[in-house]
Amino acid sequence: MFDLIIKNANIIDGTGMPSFTGDIAVDDGIIVNRGKDLGDAKTIVDAKGLSLVPGFIDSHTHYDAQLTWDPWANPSPKLGVTTIIIGNCGFTIAPCKAEHRELTIKNLTNVEGMSLDALKKGINWSFETFPEYLNFLEDRGVGPNVAAYIGHSSVRVYVMGEEALTRKANNDEIIEMENIIKEGMIKGGLGFATSTFEGHNGENGVPMPSRLADKTEMQSLIKAMSSFGRGIFMLTRGSNTSIDNIQEWMKGSNRPAVVAALLHNPLSDNSTFNILSDITKAADKGNEIWGQVSCRPLSMEFTMKSPYLFEGIKNWKPAMECPTDELYRKVLADNGFRKNLLNEIEDEAQVRLFNGDWDKIIVREVTNKKFIDLEGLSIKDIAKQNNINPLDWLLNHSLTEDGMDTLFIAMLLNSDEEAVGRLLKHPRSNITLSDAGAHLTFFNDAGYGLYMLEKWVRENNLMSKEKAIYNLTGKQADIYRIDQRGRLVPGQYADMMLIDFDKVGVSKTYRVNDLPGGSSRLNIDGHGIHSVWINGEKVFNENSIIDNKNLPGKVLRGFHA
Ligand SMILES: [Zn+2]
């Protein structure tokens, strides 16, 4: 007698093979058989008309902090995600000494758009080292399965203190960092994650610690990661980090690398494809590199109090560095500041989040009713009506009463469907980049997997169901060396979901106030999901999360070579 049999399902098994109608039997959380007439079970589900697929493996999340107060990593499991990878870009909360907690929280607030108040009230600091963090998650329990990178910026602050934000590391410090990484890998780290991206800044615009690392430090730390023949090197690249640089850093490590964030930029049409061809050339030489791409248009909500989209622009720095509101307003009003900013925005040679596409920034909601007629208009149109430069309009508006509270939405990157379609189909692409757990006030792409099926399979026919599911499950397990997950074949863990392919998709995002201390975040719902199982345990049923006392997820520690 098995624990569970799902009968008559259209099985799309995550291998990319053609789907077929059949049954799957689960015992003790493991898929033990598949075929027809498998016998008896305690629970039998008739899945006629529905598709059974592996749960999604979301390889780019930032749930590191949230997991300490929300073991479920909401909303990912209700969107079909059964395994999450945390620590991306190297922004983690372990290791962290008590005296660096404040600094870590402030940096996360800025770089990943997390509420300061929520982090302060929410984070449970029952750990100091990376192995202690994994133990804490394991002892307390997790909803989905969790794999964790060792994060460069955290390791740097742990070893160098505040100086991690201002200088290169010396030899002794590099050796200490190597030891922390080796220890982390022995205790179950997925790999080593870092960032050289110019848009990644901590409090007051100070570059995140990993951005100050030199070549020797990068080489040494990657080598430390690979000491035991395991580990993924994850990098969010800045414009000065080429694929050649990455290969040089990784020389001799013989490990795979994943590079974020390859988003299509309409003003620099070829740049992302050029990176993918460099990645292909590297792969042809035997250096396994993958490009993390996204299937979602990148839209962000923001106010001028903290306009994340400007932070990759060098001439925005004076504004970012202002310690008080009053000084911030002074800088925004300054003509010289505006002129430098405008020159840089209009320089089309740069690749960054915002490229002067003012028609893509829309007024979403005003606080001051005087401006109610602006809602729904683009900054380009408003500026045209007022015969003023769009940047000047935006900065002038932010200096009016309540202008800093006006909510904008920016449709920045990845909105050209033809180009995004080509990115998704590229053989070196890794479809991911939900950034779930971060930027919660700007966007929420945790439902990227369902969106991929809705938008790119059902509506656009870009690829077959089987291929899309493979990309979101089996291929993820392969790239990240995750054992026994990502496919519905005997011997694998029963991470599965039952969906109605004709209805599958996501809702629009909507705002809720449920973070610790009542801070707001954007939430999103899925459509067409009937059930989700994690390690054989049902966690979601017919559009509602089961109030589950058990936390069925596992902290993943064993990864293959
Ligand atoms: Zn990230």
Side-chain angles (χ1 to χ4, degrees):
M1 177 107 104
F2 299 114
D3 287 340
L4 169 69
I5 288 182
I6 298 165
K7 289 170 81 122
N8 305 315
N10 176 46
I11 297 173
I12 308 174
D13 70 2
T15 62
M17 256 182 27
S19 62
F20 57 95
T21 304
D23 308 348
I24 274 192
V26 175
D27 219 18
D28 264 344
I30 305 271
I31 297 168
V32 289
N33 205 349
R34 80 178 199 190
K36 271 274 159 208
D37 302 321
L38 301 176
D40 214 356
K42 288 175 209 154
T43 307
I44 295 183
V45 178
D46 187 355
K48 201 166 187 296
L50 300 174
S51 297
L52 187 67
V53 306
F56 300 135
I57 296 175
D58 187 344
S59 49
H60 193 123
T61 81
H62 293 278
Y63 281 123
D64 303 65
Q66 186 180 326
L67 273 177
T68 72
W69 71 79
D70 168 24
W72 281 100
N74 282 303
S76 286
K78 69 168 183 173
L79 301 163
V81 173
T82 54
T83 298
I84 54 175
I85 295 179
I86 60 173
N88 280 279
C89 316
F91 308 143
T92 49
I93 57 170
C96 183
K97 293 176 184 154
E99 67 261 36
H100 299 142
R101 287 176 189 164
E102 177 101 6
L103 175 68
T104 298
I105 285 179
K106 283 188 171 157
N107 282 343
L108 279 179
T109 296
N110 200 64
V111 74
E112 291 297 355
M114 297 175 179
S115 151
L116 178 69
D117 194 42
L119 291 174
K120 274 193 169 154
K121 293 198 169 111
I123 297 180
N124 178 341
W125 290 104
S126 308
F127 55 85
E128 178 175 310
T129 65
F130 177 79
E132 283 167 5
Y133 173 71
L134 291 189
N135 288 345
F136 161 73
L137 292 182
E138 198 163 66
D139 294 346
R140 201 274 327 269
V142 281
N145 306 302
V146 178
Y149 287 110
I150 303 156
H152 192 175
S153 285
S154 302
V155 173
R156 230 173 178 264
V157 170
Y158 192 82
V159 170
M160 299 171 66
E162 301 221 353
E163 292 183 26
L165 294 145
T166 55
R167 64 167 174 88
K168 288 200 316 192
N170 62 36
N171 263 347
D172 289 346
E173 288 161 342
I174 291 178
I175 291 169
E176 206 181 328
M177 287 192 253
E178 286 173 348
N179 289 336
I180 292 171
I181 291 167
K182 283 183 197 166
E183 166 84 355
M185 288 306 295
I186 293 173
K187 295 290 164 58
L190 170 70
F192 172 64
T194 188
S195 166
T196 57
F197 175 52
E198 293 83 0
H200 281 158
N201 301 294
E203 203 194 10
N204 299 330
V206 176
M208 284 300 277
S210 62
R211 289 181 50 201
L212 286 109
D214 61 8
K215 188 171 126 188
T216 310
E217 180 176 337
M218 285 293 190
Q219 276 173 333
S220 310
L221 302 188
I222 293 168
K223 199 157 166 238
M225 172 198 83
S226 67
S227 302
F228 312 99
R230 301 279 191 281
I232 312 291
F233 174 57
M234 187 279 153
L235 165 84
T236 296
R237 68 176 269 289
S239 54
N240 293 324
T241 310
S242 68
I243 299 302
D244 279 347
N245 292 144
I246 297 169
Q247 290 179 88
E248 209 184 331
W249 297 345
M250 297 195 70
K251 215 172 198 165
S253 77
N254 204 19
R255 298 307 310 152
V258 292
V259 179
L262 305 191
L263 299 163
H264 179 256
N265 180 341
L267 297 183
S268 177
D269 196 38
N270 285 323
S271 58
T272 312
F273 293 100
N274 291 342
I275 295 163
L276 277 171
S277 20
D278 290 347
I279 288 177
T280 306
K281 279 180 211 147
D284 290 345
K285 284 193 283 179
N287 297 325
E288 181 183 339
I289 304 182
W290 299 94
Q292 292 194 334
V293 304
S294 169
C295 64
R296 296 270 289 175
L298 185 64
S299 64
M300 282 190 167
E301 288 189 5
F302 70 96
T303 68
M304 285 304 287
K305 274 185 190 152
S306 171
Y308 184 77
L309 76 171
F310 289 149
E311 292 186 5
I313 300 173
K314 285 182 212 85
N315 285 300
W316 179 254
K317 220 167 170 231
M320 233 185 334
E321 286 169 345
C322 291
T324 65
D325 271 6
E326 200 189 330
L327 282 173
Y328 180 56
R329 288 174 169 271
K330 234 181 213 158
V331 169
L332 295 196
D334 183 79
N335 279 328
F337 167 78
R338 291 183 179 200
K339 201 164 153 248
N340 293 340
L341 191 58
L342 194 62
N343 281 341
E344 191 177 344
I345 289 173
E346 285 176 350
D347 174 7
E348 294 192 2
Q350 299 287 323
V351 178
R352 55 184 171 234
L353 212 46
F354 180 65
N355 298 285
D357 7 16
W358 297 104
D359 55 324
K360 299 240 173 79
I361 302 184
I362 313 287
V363 177
R364 181 134 181 178
E365 210 179 307
V366 297
T367 307
N368 189 334
K369 292 297 166 228
K370 194 170 96 188
F371 296 117
I372 194 89
D373 291 344
L374 299 180
E375 287 186 2
L377 296 181
S378 76
I379 293 189
K380 186 178 176 185
D381 288 340
I382 299 171
K384 211 168 166 188
Q385 283 171 16
N386 292 288
N387 211 359
I388 182 175
N389 178 287
L391 178 69
D392 283 324
W393 179 82
L394 177 64
L395 298 181
N396 290 348
H397 176 79
S398 67
L399 296 173
T400 61
E401 197 190 337
D402 297 330
M404 288 283 178
D405 294 321
T406 298
L407 188 65
F408 298 94
I409 182 162
M411 318 293 286
L412 296 168
L413 301 170
N414 246 31
S415 49
D416 176 336
E417 292 196 356
E418 184 277 327
V420 175
R422 278 191 291 142
L423 283 181
L424 297 176
K425 283 179 88 162
H426 195 283
R428 298 310 302 175
S429 283
N430 171 209
I431 300 172
T432 179
L433 288 182
S434 75
D435 257 339
H439 308 298
L440 293 175
T441 51
F442 303 124
F443 64 86
N444 188 331
D445 282 351
Y448 75 105
L450 297 176
Y451 179 84
M452 175 79 196
L453 303 181
E454 172 187 21
K455 169 82 185 176
W456 294 104
V457 177
R458 210 175 62 224
E459 290 173 16
N460 287 28
N461 238 327
L462 182 78
M463 61 180 85
S464 68
K465 290 176 185 181
E466 289 87 348
K467 194 84 203 270
I469 293 291
Y470 164 68
N471 268 292
L472 298 164
T473 61
K475 185 172 173 182
Q476 304 281 339
D478 292 349
I479 292 175
Y480 297 93
R481 274 48 174 186
I482 296 171
D483 281 326
Q484 289 177 271
R485 298 186 191 275
R487 290 179 173 85
L488 300 181
V489 299
Q492 297 239 335
Y493 287 97
D495 295 337
M496 330 181 276
M497 112 177 104
L498 201 52
I499 56 175
D500 181 344
F501 231 107
D502 296 330
K503 294 194 183 136
V504 83
V506 284
S507 71
K508 285 207 161 56
T509 54
Y510 57 94
R511 211 161 271 280
V512 290
N513 297 296
D514 62 356
L515 289 177
S519 318
S520 89
R521 68 178 172 109
L522 289 170
N523 197 6
I524 191 164
D525 295 327
H527 304 307
I529 301 196
H530 280 248
S531 310
V532 178
W533 290 266
I534 295 174
N535 294 311
E537 193 154 328
K538 197 188 248 191
V539 300
F540 181 84
N541 192 40
E542 305 285 336
N543 299 323
S544 61
I545 294 174
I546 295 173
D547 187 20
N548 211 331
K549 297 282 177 298
N550 289 339
L551 295 163
K554 291 186 199 301
V555 173
L556 306 182
R557 294 173 187 264
F559 303 97
H560 52 267

